[in-house]
Amino acid sequence: MLDKLEADRNGGIISWLSHGRAFIIHDPDAFTTKIMPLYFHQSNFAHFQRQLQLYRFQQFTSGPDTGAYFHNNFQRGMPHLCARVARLPRMLAASGLPNAEPNLYAVDALPPIDAGSIVNMPNGRVDLMIEDSNVIQTADI
């Protein structure tokens, strides 16, 4: 989803950080009204944040990535990893997660997704990003 949104020039709303291992929501209001209804079938930002916690995303509270979200299996250009993102069992969800924040700048950055790229989505669709007209063409594979 993020690869698709970034290639469609929605970087002012939500984008990958430069290293490609975390994302940040720059404009929560626009994200809530424009992006959430398309991908999450809801429009409550606080509920979205809670869902990220339940799926083990960590939000950075300090450093250069403050406010960004990170998950080992959610990385730029690697949609196949998303299948490994699992919700916490109920008992663990109540107890929370450790607050250790990784240093994502200690590893090599992932390459950006360029406009005009074909992005294979985990749902079995292929999305072609068209730079000039900002149109996304989608086809089943």
Side-chain angles (χ1 to χ4, degrees):
M1 174 201 79
L2 265 170
D3 294 342
K4 183 177 178 180
L5 288 170
E6 207 165 70
D8 195 29
R9 299 183 185 184
N10 284 299
I13 299 174
I14 183 172
S15 68
W16 289 108
L17 295 182
S18 61
H19 46 66
R21 290 178 170 81
F23 70 93
I24 190 160
I25 299 169
H26 303 284
D27 186 342
D29 292 334
F31 180 79
T32 301
T33 58
K34 295 178 182 178
I35 308 299
M36 285 180 60
L38 294 174
Y39 293 96
F40 304 104
H41 309 292
Q42 62 173 315
S43 59
N44 184 323
F45 189 69
H47 180 69
F48 173 77
Q49 290 178 304
R50 177 72 178 136
Q51 290 298 311
L52 288 175
Q53 291 173 352
L54 292 174
Y55 281 88
R56 300 181 178 145
F57 281 80
Q58 291 178 270
Q59 186 175 24
F60 288 93
T61 58
S62 62
D65 295 341
T66 299
Y69 294 93
F70 162 76
H71 192 291
N72 279 329
N73 294 314
F74 194 77
Q75 300 182 19
R76 179 172 54 212
M78 299 187 190
H80 62 282
L81 294 177
C82 291
R84 298 179 185 167
V85 176
R87 187 179 173 150
L88 282 170
R90 284 189 187 262
M91 293 182 102
L92 288 177
S95 64
L97 294 171
N99 288 331
E101 295 179 356
N103 179 0
L104 300 178
Y105 295 93
V107 293
D108 292 335
L110 298 170
I113 303 297
D114 296 324
S117 298
I118 294 177
V119 178
N120 292 312
M121 304 298 283
N123 63 0
R125 298 179 76 82
V126 174
D127 294 336
L128 174 62
M129 309 307 164
I130 308 293
E131 182 175 12
D132 296 347
S133 61
N134 250 357
V135 174
I136 300 173
Q137 295 179 350
T138 303
D140 289 318
I141 57 170

